[in-house]
């Protein structure tokens, strides 16, 4: 799976570079719509949208600052995605990630998004496996430590190997999901990583999760909380 992820990243980079040259594609086929070689729609099927990259001399359709401000209104949990150190690497890899979600029950799949400029992702891709550590409400400092780029994020951090892939399972987390890389897709300036779940578990004390909202960390209070 590690080789598959690396091959995909190389291919995706080449395709992305080609797309920025202004070629208009239809229906994700990569054909040039200017020459009328796009696919023919099936009877009764909805027409597929024209997809193309925004050129450097074009204005983006949405202001980035406004985009971040509006999307910041969506609260999410916080995770740390980890992978074991490869040969010649001094420590495991990991990064704080809020863009994590359950994807499928049959087969059991999860997903997370990572920036294409991430320095941790290539190390995780080489490992071919990873663990999603769902942070508990009292792990704000741990989240901040894994959000920093370039430092030894595992310095002073207690962890043990997950039962199947051996990826780092951080001590004190609310839940963990042990995965192997199932697929990688491009999503603009991010990559969409799909993981196949091999094992998972949760804290026995049902501890509260850490929450991220409008750039700040916080905790969750149920509406039906007991007095």
């Amino acid at each position: 799976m590690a080789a598959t992820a690396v091959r995909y990243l190389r291919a995706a980079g080449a395709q992305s570079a080609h797309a920025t040259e202004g070629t208009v594609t239809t229906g994700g086929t990569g054909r040039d719509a200017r020459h009328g070689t796009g696919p023919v729609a099936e009877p009764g099927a909805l027409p597929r949208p024209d997809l193309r990259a925004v050129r450097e001399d074009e204005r983006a359709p949405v202001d980035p600052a406004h985009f971040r401000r509006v999307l910041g209104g969506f609260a999410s949990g916080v995770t740390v995605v980890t992978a074991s150190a490869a040969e010649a690497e001094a420590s495991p890899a990991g990064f704080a990630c809020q863009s994590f979600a359950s994807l499928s029950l049959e087969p059991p799949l999860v997903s997370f998004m990572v920036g294409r400029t991430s320095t941790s992702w290539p190390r995780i891709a080489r490992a071919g496996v990873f663990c999603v550590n769902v942070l508990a409400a009292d792990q704000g400092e741990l989240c901040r430590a894994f959000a920093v780029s370039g430092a030894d994020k595992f310095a002073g951090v207690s962890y043990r190997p997950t039962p199947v892939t051996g990826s780092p399972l951080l001590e004190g987390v609310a839940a963990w999901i042990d995965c192997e890389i199932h697929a990688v897709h491009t999503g603009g300036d991010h990559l969409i990583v799909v993981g196949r779940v091999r094992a998972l578990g949760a804290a026995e004390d049902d501890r509260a999760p850490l929450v991220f909202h409008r750039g700040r960390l916080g905790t969750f209070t149920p509406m039906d909380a007991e007095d």
Side-chain angles (χ1 to χ4, degrees):
M1 296 307 299
T4 300
V6 171
R7 284 199 302 270
Y8 177 83
L9 290 176
R10 291 173 178 169
Q15 293 170 2
S16 176
H18 177 72
T20 57
E21 296 174 0
T23 300
V24 181
T25 60
T26 303
T29 62
R31 299 177 180 176
D32 194 334
R34 292 171 297 182
H35 301 295
T37 57
V40 178
E42 297 178 1
L46 293 175
R48 295 187 177 184
D50 288 340
L51 304 177
R52 67 178 179 84
V54 177
R55 297 192 302 270
E56 293 184 359
D57 59 346
E58 287 186 297
R59 184 175 181 178
V62 177
D63 177 66
H66 181 60
F67 183 89
R68 293 191 187 97
R69 184 166 56 253
V70 172
L71 272 294
F74 178 72
S76 70
V78 184
T79 72
V80 170
V81 179
T82 59
S84 298
E87 292 185 16
E89 292 181 344
S91 65
F95 69 97
C97 176
Q98 68 181 92
S99 54
F100 165 76
S102 170
L103 181 61
S104 168
L105 184 60
E106 293 292 342
L109 302 174
V110 296
S111 66
F112 69 84
M113 275 66 80
V114 59
R116 299 184 71 161
T117 59
S118 168
T119 56
S120 297
W121 163 244
R123 299 178 61 193
I124 296 173
R126 285 194 293 270
V129 295
F130 61 89
C131 177
V132 178
N133 296 267
V134 181
L135 299 189
D138 60 353
Q139 293 183 307
E141 288 304 315
L142 185 63
C143 172
R144 294 184 181 94
F146 276 89
V148 176
S149 178
D152 182 3
K153 303 175 185 180
F154 282 85
V157 175
S158 298
Y159 62 90
R160 66 181 188 275
T162 54
V164 178
T165 72
S167 302
L169 196 171
L170 306 182
E171 183 178 345
V173 296
W176 56 271
I177 305 97
D178 194 13
C179 307
E180 65 180 23
I181 295 176
H182 180 74
V184 182
H185 307 284
T186 54
D189 55 11
H190 277 60
L191 295 171
I192 304 166
V193 182
V194 179
R196 182 153 189 150
V197 178
R198 292 306 184 189
L200 72 169
E204 294 182 359
D205 57 2
D206 195 26
R207 60 194 61 176
L210 187 65
V211 176
F212 185 80
H213 180 248
R214 295 198 181 282
R216 301 173 64 185
L217 296 173
T219 57
F220 170 73
T221 303
M223 295 183 64
D224 57 350
E226 297 180 358
D227 295 335

